[in-house]
Amino acid sequence: MEFEKLTELIIELEVDDIEDAVKEALNEGKTAMSILDALTKGMDKVGELYEKKEYYLTELVLAGETMKEAFKILKPKLQAEGGGKEKVKIILATVRGDNHDIGKNILSSLLLSADFEVIDIGMDIPAEKVVEAVKKTKAKIIGLSTLLTMTVEEIKNVHEALEKAGLRDKVKIIVGGAPLNMELAKKLGADDFADDAVEGVRRIKQLAKITIDIKL
Ligand code: B1M
């Protein structure tokens, strides 16, 4: 299994073939990290095609699913190969009252392929659970998703709950979802906003640089 073929399978969204292809590459002795690199190249290309409007959300969803299938096989191998290399942690959640998680899941896949440790605490998540997750995992970046106009205020609740717990200045909050924009995000207490998951990864990489020296 050539690396180029693995990259191609992601670009061509071959969700049914990716598992066998990854297994074949591993059986040939390729490392999980090198396979992940090849798959990530595919995800980068999918991101470019999406930005050029040659691919749409459907393709982004499928690419996320394809990557997730591959990741199921790679995850244990990567952990074994990782040799304790510390990754930047990010907590992801869809806010309380909102049961839309497809966008969050795409972001999660892209972040995993960009070598983040993703702590996905799910959807319909109350502010207190986010605070609990920060305390438990010591993650310094929180990504919140909301698609409903009626739930955007939940971002403010997370911001205030973190303040109350004395943690607000130790973490960065990035938010995304159709009812939001940068102005509203900042007004609700978030530090950053991304229009889509590709932009989200780019901005989260920037936040990771900013938070590197913060001690929790
Ligand atoms: Co609902 N729904 N839905 N829905 N749903 C919308 C969001 C809606 C816009 C449809 C419409 O009316 N045109 C509308 C919201 C209107 C509003 O408030 N502004 C709506 C409604 C009203 C509802 C219900 C209230 C319907 C009802 O029951 N009467 C109900 C609410 C349930 C609840 O949450 N409590 C409801 C339910 C559902 C389903 C459960 C059936 C299902 C969700 C399944 C699931 O997610 N597991 C669903 C769906 C599928 C949709 C639409 C059709 C598609 C959403 C989607 O997955 N898009 C949606 C219409 C639409 O969006 N056009 C709609 C694809 C996904 C990839 O995009 O999640 O936006 P998205 O993520 C994007 C960006 O937003 C961004 O990146 C992603 C792309 O790269 N992004 C981030 C998202 N999070 C990010 C976080 C980041 C960065 C970027 O950093 C942290």
Side-chain angles (χ1 to χ4, degrees):
M1 178 61 52
E2 300 298 320
F3 287 123
E4 290 75 17
K5 180 70 191 163
L6 290 165
T7 307
E8 220 172 87
L9 286 172
I10 292 283
I11 299 169
E12 287 169 10
L13 315 167
E14 299 288 358
V15 68
D16 294 331
D17 297 338
I18 197 76
E19 185 181 328
D20 285 346
V22 169
K23 282 183 180 162
E24 193 182 320
L26 285 170
N27 286 339
E28 287 165 3
K30 294 189 168 63
T31 64
M33 192 53 84
S34 65
I35 295 169
L36 187 64
D37 276 350
L39 299 173
T40 304
K41 275 189 196 144
M43 289 302 261
D44 288 346
K45 184 70 190 168
V46 169
E48 278 170 32
L49 290 168
Y50 175 71
E51 284 180 342
K52 283 199 250 164
K53 301 202 180 340
E54 286 177 41
Y55 270 11
Y56 294 93
L57 274 180
T58 320
E59 282 82 7
L60 216 52
V61 173
L62 256 180
E65 282 173 13
T66 310
M67 191 71 190
K68 272 198 167 176
E69 285 302 307
F71 200 74
K72 269 191 224 155
I73 317 288
L74 287 179
K75 198 171 176 181
K77 311 272 174 199
L78 282 170
Q79 280 162 355
E81 279 173 26
K85 185 185 150 210
E86 210 168 315
K87 295 183 180 193
V88 176
K89 291 178 187 170
I90 174 161
I91 293 166
L92 289 186
T94 302
V95 300
R96 172 165 46 196
D98 191 335
N99 284 321
H100 296 84
D101 70 349
I102 297 172
K104 170 182 70 60
N105 294 344
I106 293 174
L107 180 65
S108 171
S109 304
L110 295 181
L111 286 168
L112 287 170
S113 67
D115 214 23
F116 280 81
E117 181 178 339
V118 178
I119 302 136
D120 186 341
I121 57 173
M123 52 189 180
D124 189 14
I125 298 299
E128 304 71 47
K129 286 251 181 224
V130 178
V131 173
E132 254 173 53
V134 171
K135 286 183 183 163
K136 194 169 156 208
T137 64
K138 309 235 178 297
K140 290 181 278 189
I141 309 175
I142 301 165
L144 299 175
S145 183
T146 180
L147 291 211
L148 299 173
T149 309
M150 68 181 180
T151 53
V152 291
E153 284 286 324
E154 281 298 322
I155 292 167
K156 196 166 159 206
N157 291 341
V158 173
H159 161 71
E160 288 175 357
L162 286 163
E163 249 176 8
K164 211 167 139 199
L167 290 167
R168 184 62 190 94
D169 58 345
K170 307 212 182 290
V171 296
K172 295 284 175 199
I173 305 175
I174 177 165
V175 297
L180 294 164
N181 54 52
M182 186 64 86
E183 196 189 341
L184 180 57
K186 297 243 162 140
K187 211 166 131 196
L188 294 165
D191 299 292
D192 210 345
F193 160 79
D195 242 340
D196 60 33
V198 174
E199 176 67 9
V201 174
R202 200 174 295 142
R203 288 184 171 272
I204 288 163
K205 282 182 179 166
Q206 291 298 321
L207 293 177
K209 284 186 196 148
I210 298 169
T211 55
I212 200 139
D213 293 325
I214 297 176
K215 301 269 175 289
L216 258 177

